[in-house]
Amino acid sequence: MRRDVFQAIADPTRRAIIGLIALQAMTPNAIAEHFDTSRQAVSKHLQILLECQLVKQEQQGREIYYQLEVAKMKEIDKWLEQFRKIWEDRFNQLDTIFSNIKQNKP
């Protein structure tokens, strides 16, 4: 079963992993140090993120480093953009209402 990118980011641990490797590439052991879970559990999360192409791995000597796949994150951002516009419009409407209330206050 091919996983959806939104299934991957629905899990708080995977979102935390994304946050960690967004700053710098890390090994599974380095990632696992940030969680109260086994190295195997972190590896399963990384596998799901790989399947969804949210992360990529790079071999450096004997170590494998995981890093964020920025292009895939841009896809998520593009999808969210439609909602961002709706929210901004609604907040602007609220700002207008509050400004009108403040101006009409005695």
Side-chain angles (χ1 to χ4, degrees):
M1 175 177 88
R2 178 135 165 79
R3 295 180 200 272
D4 178 279
V5 69
F6 294 100
Q7 288 174 312
I9 63 173
D11 184 275
T13 301
R14 289 192 285 270
R15 288 194 306 269
I17 290 171
I18 289 170
L20 283 172
I21 63 174
L23 302 173
Q24 68 180 24
M26 298 176 78
T27 64
N29 286 334
I31 295 168
E33 289 175 2
H34 291 85
F35 299 95
D36 274 341
T37 187
S38 67
R39 160 80 165 66
Q40 290 81 5
V42 168
S43 290
K44 286 183 181 183
H45 286 297
L46 286 168
Q47 186 59 41
I48 291 168
L49 292 170
L50 272 171
E51 287 174 18
C52 295
Q53 301 171 337
L54 282 168
V55 301
K56 58 185 174 183
Q57 56 185 4
E58 183 179 309
Q59 184 92 28
Q60 291 182 10
R62 293 179 10 183
E63 296 286 346
I64 295 176
Y65 285 82
Y66 289 85
Q67 57 190 14
L68 186 62
E69 187 60 69
V70 177
K72 199 63 166 183
M73 293 300 291
K74 286 181 181 178
E75 284 182 32
I76 296 169
D77 185 55
K78 185 177 176 182
W79 184 81
L80 287 171
E81 182 62 33
Q82 63 188 324
F83 300 105
R84 192 174 295 117
K85 175 76 172 115
I86 292 167
W87 299 328
E88 287 174 358
D89 289 347
R90 289 187 180 171
F91 284 131
N92 289 337
Q93 290 172 353
L94 275 174
D95 283 343
T96 302
I97 290 169
F98 289 141
S99 291
N100 290 339
I101 291 171
K102 273 175 88 171
Q103 289 174 359
N104 293 330
K105 213 174 188 187

